[in-house]
Amino acid sequence: MMSDFPEGQELEQFIKRRRQKGLIWRSLFLLATTLGVLVLMVLLLTILNKTLGYVAVRYRMEPDELVVALYRTIMLDASQTQTLANPADLTRGLAADPDGVGIMARADFEATGQGLRVVPITDLSLQGVVVVVSEANTWLTDLTSLELMRLFTIATTWSELRPEWPQRPIHRWLPPASSPALHAFIAQVYGEDPRTQPTEALVAMLAMHLSPGAMRQIMAEKPLSARTHEDFYQLLVDRVMEPTILETWSFSESILNRKAIQARVAAMPDARLEFRRWITWDFITSPQSSRPEFAGVRTAILGSLWVVFITLLFAIPVGIGAAIYLEEYGSGGWLDQLIESNINNLAGVPSIIYGMLGLAVFVRALEPLTSGSLFGLVDPATSNGRTVLSAGLTLGLLILPLIIINAREAIRAVPQAFREASLGLGATQWQTIWSHVLPNALPGILTGSILAISRAFGETAPLVVVGASTAIFLDPHGPFSKFTVLPIQIYQWTSRPQAAFQNLAAAAIIVLLALLLVMNGLAVYLRHKYRRTY
Amino acid sequence: MMNTSSPYVIETQDLNVFYGDFHAVKNVQLRIEKHKITALIGPSGCGKSTVLRCFNRMNDFIPTARIQGRVLFHGKNIYDPDVDPVQVRRRIGMVFQKPNPFPKSIYDNVAWGAKINGFRGDLDQLVEESLRRAALWDEVKDKLDANGYSLSGGQQQRLCIARALAVKPEVILMDEPTSALDPIASLRIEELMVQLAEEYTIIVVTHNMQQAARVSDYTAFFTVDEHRTGYLEEFGPTPEIFTTPKSRITEDYITGRFG
Amino acid sequence: MTRERSAPEIHESLRKRPRWGETVIHGLLLVFAGLSIVTTLGIVLVLFSQALHFFARPEVSLARFLTESQWQPQIGHFGILVLINATLLTSLIAMVVALPTGLAIAIYLSEYASHRTRSILKPILEVLAGIPTVVYGYFALTFMTPLLQRLLGRDVVEVFNVASAGMVIGILILPLITSMAEDALSAVPYALREAAYGLGATRLETALKVVTPAAMSGLIAAFVVAISRAIGETMIVAIAAGAGPRNFKSWREALHHLALFNPFKGAETMTGHIVRISGGDISYESIDYDSLFAIGLTLFLITLLLNILSRRIVRRYREVY
Ligand SMILES: Nc1ncnc2c1ncn2[C@@H]1O[C@H](COP(=O)(O)OP(=O)(O)OP(=O)(O)O)[C@@H](O)[C@H]1O
Ligand SMILES: [Mg+2]
């Protein structure tokens, strides 16, 4: 029998071709899948990459200069202090003064320091600068850094430092205020970061650089005693240092082009290169600000929480109620069918359409209600219906179909036998639902609701239409407040031309994603914990 | 070289099958004679389907399944690494318990397998010939474009047989081909099997004792041991198995006295 | 002690009584369920009435709405087609990205991947689906656009352009297409695959010639839902596609060098325009306000049509296996 199918040699070829084709396509499918995973990674990396990196900052007052200026003033104002511009003069004077102590550049000491000796500091190694005394001084053989700090500021007699030392006044010999040696001394002994200074030092710095009027105003806002260290530091940044971010670089650029960036910033007048983490506790707790250096997401997070709270209050009971009706009471009549197909249609309506509905109905038509004027609760900052309440209700309508669809599935999964058992004992329908159907469906309903809520949490477009505010500086505090939400904050920052806002947007995205992750984690946990056992 | 003169088309040597840790079938020694119908019978879960699916490597698709031993097709172990399972399945076709036509036209159902296997003859003729052999031609010749699912259950099963015939296999494996059918449709399939045995070697799994007795030339009786592992209890010409079984267990099963 | 009850007493005890609590609850739940219809009615009513407002203005006419090549309501141009064109461009690009990729991933997941691989990949897709769209917008602007600019040159690719927005929308709808397509493919009974393998088909032949055709209605429905989602997508286009409609003095100018369809230039879509215009404190009396609803109505009708279509397809061509 002659076969019409390939045989022998030909068959080999034929099979080989089919195998090759299979392999090629399989690789393509795999490639597409890898691509999908890759995209997710690139997406996350792109965003993370922007949350760290170099920035070029210009300060009105540089932070280290702030510290140095304070201690320079204190040191120069201390009793028995004299400054000599010429190191040779200082050497001569100090060598003849056994009660004296001085500060010199190490190079100057090595060049001119006859008759002087260096005092070793036990817990600090000073670079480029030395503490010197006359060779005639017999007691000063070593100093701790704490003693050193007091030696040039508040101490007046030697015995104040150590009781066994003479009870004679300290004579201080310093290089002039503008000398690098004094700068180096202060930076090493007292530090250069204002943040690490004691609160009193911060207050002193404020007082040094602000006018008495400005200080009075600050005290009027909130008494100094009620303020924390962090408050004072923030005031210093806002009012005295006043940083301006000139340019920012992403993490990868910072690593790869470090030399070029350093050269570039060196060429910028008055600019400093700093490595900045954009997600900080400050960022999360600071209110909105038009200056990227100070902007934070607290206002937006609170806005999001308020809006989602209203959404939840409205959509969860209504959604679950509707689901119960459709699953337990619905008879499949024309009305039920209409409702059912209608819900499916609503789930496919673009979210921005809900925004327009919210704008026309909640913001405009129901303004007396949503602005709170009906209850005499108008927020002084608001005069229209663009409030948390309008936004929450709009999102509520948006996620209602999702909640209904999910809840129906959960209710449907409860075995019919439970209902029959309950009804068979003479329970009414509602008793059956309340004590048998709902408890068993609850984990499923909860999981679906959390997912719907997290959808609401990330929604942007409808809230832009409903009228989230572009700039609000007061935290929302009720349903009738003006508001902004986290995604809108991200949208606005993304649309700004200055580079720093892109970094802020990236940081805010990470915050948003983290919050969503928590919610979804909760949903997964609930699903796992209450996994059905029947 | 294939030893085509041997009367045995398929031969298993110490065949063992595992699903993960579960030892499903142990030490099966079977010889399937050419152009004969061999029936595999036994209680549910004794591994009949498992053994049958070993004959054309359908177990490849069950990730946990593992095979030990050899299955010789004309003397060649089909589990050798140099064997292409796709070709094994072309030579050893299969008809399943539930009719499973493709959701395509009747014509395409029959022609599809031939097309992917590089058939270059007259397709129309092949379709007609296959449908005739499956005793379905007269019923569908006027509606070859109709969807395969528009047929009755029995017709669908014969369509699946026609589909298997169209790729010109040597052996046809049937796993309870009539269990989803009514008695009349079952009878037609049985007649068909007997006709087909003139040209093909047929191995059929069945739960129906009468069917095994009516159609098969050889019968293999499987059962399970205390670990629920299946094994071949008895194998021989059908008349012997049904009239003078050597094993007590076989006799109990055949006479319906089984557990 | 319980006393034997008389027949009339038993009859009396069986008599139907009103249960007010049950009735109230039933009614309340019906109201909740009915709220969805009120929502739909609300949407239709709001969009139609405000759009009517728009068309009732003396300077506006339906003919100009459908034929003009510019959208600038303040100066009397109302050509919705330029907005629709941008929407279709972004959606088309999105589908070109997402359709083959999504289908390929779905086939890989349902036909090739091991159980373990699937259990790793599906959550990744879910994560991708759960990321808010504004994040994708950021991604389009800060990654996709610079990438395109580097590949094709800054003079070709504008900062705001349709291509990067469209591609990122494609990434956005990828999980949607994939999961719906995978559902459709997995719903094909295993018996069909066995039948194909039993005839000597390879995995590829089984996947492409048996499983995929068998799942066709589900696949098409997935694509239609995805298109509808792409058309309604807002934040990505608002951030990355353009900050103004791509207007032309005349259609002739629009078609010159096919400028209308250039994917590397900016163009505002229907949704992008709505977001930008309504972002400020818009006056309820302005023509801008009314025009928003005319656009919204158009958008609503298009997506509604697509949604109905997808369900028709599923119902009409529901597979018989
Ligand atoms: N995919 C699988 N994974 C794990 N175990 C399996 C699998 N398929 C079958 N088994 C087990 O292997 C044993 C044999 O199964 P098989 O389907 O071969 O039995 P059978 O004899 O065909 O039964 P039936 O007459 O009911 O069809 C059974 O214990 C079954 O539970
Ligand atoms: Mg079986």
Side-chain angles (χ1 to χ4, degrees):
Chain A
M1 185 183 88
M2 164 64 195
S3 169
D4 284 323
F5 288 96
E7 293 292 349
Q9 189 66 33
E10 200 189 346
L11 181 63
E12 295 293 313
Q13 290 291 324
F14 179 67
I15 293 171
K16 212 168 134 203
R17 268 210 314 280
R18 281 167 73 193
R19 290 265 156 219
Q20 271 172 355
K21 210 167 128 197
L23 200 68
I24 291 170
W25 278 84
R26 189 195 175 121
S27 317
L28 281 179
F29 295 147
L30 190 61
L31 187 77
T33 311
T34 321
L35 217 67
V37 176
L38 216 66
V39 162
L40 180 66
M41 294 204 194
V42 170
L43 181 88
L44 292 178
L45 286 181
T46 306
I47 291 160
L48 282 174
N49 192 23
K50 291 257 182 180
T51 60
L52 274 180
Y54 280 130
V55 289
V57 196
R58 176 179 298 149
Y59 287 97
R60 196 171 64 85
M61 177 68 127
E62 310 230 339
D64 52 345
E65 189 49 44
L66 202 60
V67 179
V68 169
L70 174 70
Y71 287 100
R72 192 162 51 207
T73 314
I74 296 175
M75 287 169 73
L76 295 178
D77 286 353
S79 61
Q80 307 274 5
T81 301
Q82 49 187 312
T83 57
L84 291 166
N86 187 343
D89 294 343
L90 197 147
T91 305
R92 215 168 309 118
L94 180 58
D97 180 5
D99 289 343
V101 60
I103 294 170
M104 284 181 94
R106 179 173 286 277
D108 291 338
F109 170 75
E110 277 156 10
T112 67
Q114 297 94 349
L116 299 183
R117 66 178 170 83
V118 174
V119 182
I121 315 297
T122 51
D123 53 355
L124 185 73
S125 89
L126 288 174
Q127 304 293 316
V129 59
V130 289
V131 178
V132 287
V133 290
S134 162
E135 278 172 351
N137 180 308
T138 52
W139 61 89
L140 197 53
T141 51
D142 64 288
L143 269 174
T144 65
S145 59
L146 210 67
E147 286 163 347
L148 184 61
M149 285 164 111
R150 297 176 60 205
L151 176 59
F152 283 97
T153 50
I154 49 178
T156 50
T157 65
W158 288 103
S159 60
E160 277 173 41
L161 294 176
R162 284 188 202 171
E164 65 266 28
W165 289 351
Q167 203 163 10
R168 286 203 295 277
I170 303 167
H171 299 163
R172 291 169 263 238
W173 300 72
L174 299 183
S178 59
S179 76
L182 192 59
H183 194 293
F185 176 82
I186 294 175
Q188 291 177 61
V189 174
Y190 297 101
E192 37 185 352
D193 185 357
R195 200 187 280 265
T196 60
Q197 296 299 320
T199 309
E200 302 76 54
L202 295 185
V203 179
M205 288 179 213
L206 272 177
M208 250 174 92
H209 294 278
L210 290 181
S211 68
M215 277 307 275
R216 267 197 303 277
Q217 200 197 329
I218 289 172
M219 281 189 273
E221 275 169 18
K222 199 172 172 190
L224 293 189
S225 55
R227 289 178 186 265
T228 61
H229 182 271
E230 189 55 28
D231 276 352
F232 286 115
Y233 178 72
Q234 214 54 54
L235 274 172
L236 269 180
V237 175
D238 290 1
R239 310 287 293 267
V240 182
M241 296 195 260
E242 293 187 26
T244 310
I245 293 176
L246 303 173
E247 205 172 335
T248 71
W249 289 272
S250 67
F251 183 69
S252 58
E253 287 168 332
S254 303
I255 299 297
L256 299 175
N257 306 339
R258 205 163 107 215
K259 286 267 153 24
I261 293 172
Q262 280 168 345
R264 190 180 152 85
V265 175
M268 290 185 200
D270 299 332
R272 286 164 62 114
L273 189 62
E274 287 182 357
F275 195 85
R276 185 168 173 134
R277 271 190 310 135
W278 289 88
I279 309 176
T280 57
W281 188 242
D282 272 354
F283 174 72
I284 291 167
T285 54
S286 301
Q288 211 183 37
S289 162
S290 54
R291 297 184 46 196
E293 299 80 12
F294 306 122
V297 285
R298 187 182 73 202
T299 329
I301 291 179
L302 288 174
S304 275
L305 292 178
W306 266 110
V307 169
V308 163
F309 177 65
I310 300 284
T311 304
L312 205 141
L313 227 54
F314 165 67
I316 299 240
V318 173
I320 296 177
I324 293 174
Y325 176 81
L326 290 173
E327 281 303 314
E328 303 289 321
Y329 290 94
S331 52
W334 66 270
L335 184 63
D336 300 333
Q337 274 179 15
L338 182 70
I339 293 176
E340 180 150 1
S341 76
N342 187 53
I343 287 171
N344 286 329
N345 270 330
L346 277 180
V349 171
S351 59
I352 194 166
I353 300 284
Y354 284 93
M356 306 188 79
L357 177 71
L359 176 64
V361 175
F362 298 130
V363 174
R364 204 178 157 190
L366 299 179
E367 181 175 330
L369 181 79
T370 52
S371 68
S373 62
L374 197 66
F375 318 103
L377 287 173
V378 185
D379 196 300
T382 333
S383 54
N384 55 31
R386 297 173 186 269
T387 56
V388 166
L389 184 60
S390 297
L393 292 176
T394 305
L395 289 188
L397 289 183
L398 171 72
I399 63 168
L400 205 50
L402 293 182
I403 293 189
I404 297 177
I405 291 170
N406 279 325
R408 285 187 69 177
E409 234 153 70
I411 292 173
R412 212 174 304 152
V414 176
Q416 196 58 30
F418 289 16
R419 296 182 184 85
E420 284 163 4
S422 168
L423 292 171
L425 290 173
T428 64
Q429 190 161 17
W430 178 247
Q431 285 167 335
T432 304
I433 293 168
W434 184 250
S435 34
H436 298 284
V437 178
L438 277 186
N440 283 299
L442 205 59
I445 293 178
L446 229 52
T447 311
S449 301
I450 293 175
L451 294 180
I453 288 288
S454 54
R455 161 94 192 271
F457 209 84
E459 241 348 301
T460 322
L463 295 189
V464 177
V465 178
V466 168
S469 310
T470 27
I472 64 167
F473 301 100
L474 288 177
D475 292 338
H477 49 79
F480 305 118
S481 298
K482 280 168 50 156
F483 71 100
T484 192
V485 293
L486 207 42
I488 290 191
Q489 186 72 77
I490 294 167
Y491 170 48
Q492 277 159 5
W493 279 339
T494 306
S495 321
R496 295 280 190 88
Q498 298 101 306
F501 284 110
Q502 307 290 323
N503 299 85
L504 285 176
I509 286 175
I510 297 296
V511 172
L512 177 66
L513 292 183
L515 287 171
L516 287 175
L517 196 69
V518 170
M519 286 193 198
N520 285 298
L522 195 66
V524 172
Y525 172 76
L526 284 175
R527 187 159 48 184
H528 191 76
K529 175 161 180 198
Y530 295 104
R531 206 182 338 215
R532 261 182 231 95
T533 44
Y534 46 83
Chain B
M1 269 315 290
M2 282 181 190
N3 180 6
T4 40
S5 59
S6 156
Y8 302 117
V9 182
I10 292 180
E11 198 177 334
T12 67
Q13 298 176 343
D14 277 329
L15 180 67
N16 283 272
V17 188
F18 302 82
Y19 291 113
D21 293 335
F22 176 57
H23 196 170
V25 178
K26 67 177 179 192
N27 303 336
V28 176
Q29 312 272 11
L30 260 181
R31 287 174 158 184
I32 308 292
E33 207 172 306
K34 195 171 179 179
H35 293 181
K36 291 281 182 320
I37 300 179
T38 305
L40 311 186
I41 62 170
S44 187
C46 67
K48 305 179 295 292
S49 300
T50 303
V51 169
L52 191 74
R53 292 163 65 92
C54 285
F55 293 155
N56 70 342
R57 294 191 59 169
M58 283 307 267
N59 286 330
D60 289 13
F61 299 105
I62 300 169
T64 55
R66 201 156 42 82
I67 312 279
Q68 277 175 11
R70 306 188 339 140
V71 177
L72 303 180
F73 179 56
H74 293 295
K76 171 74 179 165
N77 182 10
I78 61 170
Y79 285 92
D80 277 350
D82 65 335
V83 169
D84 182 356
V86 168
Q87 284 310 304
V88 170
R89 292 181 209 119
R90 217 221 94 187
R91 310 277 171 186
I92 307 175
M94 191 152 192
V95 175
F96 299 84
Q97 178 172 5
K98 226 177 119 230
N100 57 351
F102 298 128
K104 299 174 187 286
S105 70
I106 293 171
Y107 183 96
D108 286 341
N109 259 288
V110 180
W112 190 79
K115 269 194 246 172
I116 58 158
N117 280 301
F119 181 76
R120 0 153 236 212
D122 184 348
L123 257 186
D124 292 351
Q125 197 190 324
L126 177 74
V127 170
E128 178 175 343
E129 182 192 310
S130 306
L131 284 169
R132 274 189 197 285
R133 287 193 189 181
L136 189 60
W137 175 251
D138 291 331
E139 289 157 68
V140 301
K141 64 172 183 260
D142 300 324
K143 49 172 187 179
L144 290 175
D145 287 336
N147 193 303
Y149 281 88
S150 65
L151 299 177
S152 75
Q155 288 173 325
Q156 284 183 20
Q157 195 61 304
R158 276 178 282 150
L159 178 61
C160 293
I161 294 174
R163 183 176 67 183
L165 297 180
V167 298
K168 307 255 162 87
E170 270 181 64
V171 182
I172 300 176
L173 310 176
M174 297 183 168
D175 194 348
E176 302 183 37
T178 61
S179 68
L181 306 180
D182 66 73
I184 307 283
S186 302
L187 223 54
R188 293 211 57 174
I189 304 272
E190 282 178 27
E191 287 167 10
L192 183 57
M193 279 158 55
V194 176
Q195 282 169 27
L196 291 174
E198 289 169 15
E199 277 181 69
Y200 303 90
T201 307
I202 295 177
I203 308 174
V204 59
V205 171
T206 178
H207 272 290
N208 183 330
M209 292 303 119
Q210 288 81 21
Q211 186 174 69
R214 275 196 300 267
V215 302
S216 70
D217 303 302
Y218 292 92
T219 297
F221 173 65
F222 288 80
T223 187
V224 290
D225 66 10
E226 65 279 12
H227 304 295
R228 298 193 39 252
T229 298
Y231 65 96
L232 179 59
E233 171 72 23
E234 193 169 349
F235 177 50
T238 300
E240 278 176 30
I241 297 276
F242 277 86
T243 53
T244 53
K246 293 192 188 72
S247 147
R248 179 66 198 273
I249 307 173
T250 313
E251 190 179 342
D252 285 353
Y253 183 75
I254 284 165
T255 52
R257 261 177 287 150
F258 191 84
Chain C
M1 271 306 345
T2 46
R3 171 180 67 85
E4 192 83 354
R5 289 196 298 176
S6 69
E9 268 178 324
I10 293 175
H11 294 173
E12 171 59 22
S13 79
L14 289 177
R15 196 169 54 81
K16 195 168 180 174
R17 295 184 193 80
R19 287 187 208 281
W20 293 115
E22 293 281 319
T23 315
V24 167
I25 288 170
H26 189 143
L28 190 68
L29 295 181
L30 176 61
V31 169
F32 284 174
L35 194 68
S36 73
I37 294 191
V38 177
T39 309
T40 309
L41 284 181
I43 289 176
V44 171
L45 219 69
V46 162
L47 292 179
F48 268 99
S49 69
Q50 296 289 342
L52 269 181
H53 238 256
F54 176 70
F55 287 114
R57 287 177 181 261
E59 65 267 39
V60 185
S61 76
L62 191 62
R64 293 183 63 192
F65 185 70
L66 293 177
T67 56
E68 264 192 313
S69 61
Q70 299 185 54
W71 178 270
Q72 269 177 303
Q74 307 86 350
I75 59 163
H77 291 294
F78 320 98
I80 185 90
L81 284 183
V82 290
L83 298 180
I84 293 183
N85 174 60
T87 294
L88 292 184
L89 264 185
T90 49
S91 308
L92 185 77
I93 294 169
M95 291 314 285
V96 167
V97 170
L99 206 147
T101 324
L103 188 56
I105 298 178
I107 291 179
Y108 180 78
L109 283 181
S110 93
E111 305 300 309
Y112 288 89
S114 70
H115 187 74
R116 230 177 74 87
T117 320
R118 230 195 321 259
S119 70
I120 296 170
L121 287 177
K122 288 193 97 173
I124 291 185
L125 283 173
E126 272 174 41
V127 168
L128 213 48
I131 296 177
T133 58
V134 68
V135 178
Y136 284 95
Y138 181 86
F139 182 65
L141 191 67
T142 60
F143 178 82
M144 201 53 90
T145 301
L147 182 73
L148 287 181
Q149 283 183 329
R150 192 170 306 170
L151 290 178
L152 303 171
R154 280 170 184 279
D155 40 334
V156 179
V157 182
E158 290 182 353
V159 173
F160 295 121
N161 68 81
V162 169
S164 71
M167 286 162 71
V168 174
I169 295 178
I171 296 171
L172 171 80
I173 57 179
L174 187 61
L176 182 74
I177 290 196
T178 307
S179 76
M180 284 183 74
E182 209 255 341
D183 285 348
L185 293 172
S186 307
V188 174
Y190 190 69
L192 285 189
R193 296 182 180 84
E194 280 188 322
Y197 292 135
L199 291 172
T202 61
R203 216 177 249 272
L204 176 73
E205 287 156 352
T206 308
L208 288 190
K209 296 181 185 164
V210 172
V211 181
T212 307
M216 203 37 99
S217 74
L219 296 178
I220 293 175
F223 299 154
V224 176
V225 168
I227 293 173
S228 155
R229 181 79 202 277
I231 288 176
E233 171 45 41
T234 307
M235 291 325 289
I236 297 174
V237 290
I239 291 174
R246 193 185 284 180
N247 288 326
F248 294 97
K249 291 222 178 55
S250 66
W251 285 114
R252 164 183 293 243
E253 192 188 313
L255 295 175
H256 185 66
H257 291 315
L258 292 180
L260 185 63
F261 305 116
N262 186 341
F264 301 118
K265 296 236 180 311
E268 208 165 41
T269 65
M270 293 190 275
T271 52
H273 186 75
I274 295 175
V275 160
R276 182 170 60 87
I277 295 302
S278 62
D281 256 338
I282 185 171
S283 152
Y284 299 146
E285 309 311 322
S286 65
I287 186 160
D288 270 342
Y289 182 81
D290 289 343
S291 75
L292 290 188
F293 289 86
I295 304 172
L297 181 62
T298 315
L299 181 66
F300 177 71
L301 291 179
I302 293 175
T303 51
L304 184 69
L305 220 69
L306 287 172
N307 286 333
I308 292 175
L309 185 70
S310 90
R311 256 168 314 115
R312 273 279 154 76
I313 293 171
V314 173
R315 208 170 318 149
R316 168 84 55 87
Y317 301 101
R318 187 173 301 155
E319 300 299 345
V320 280
Y321 299 122

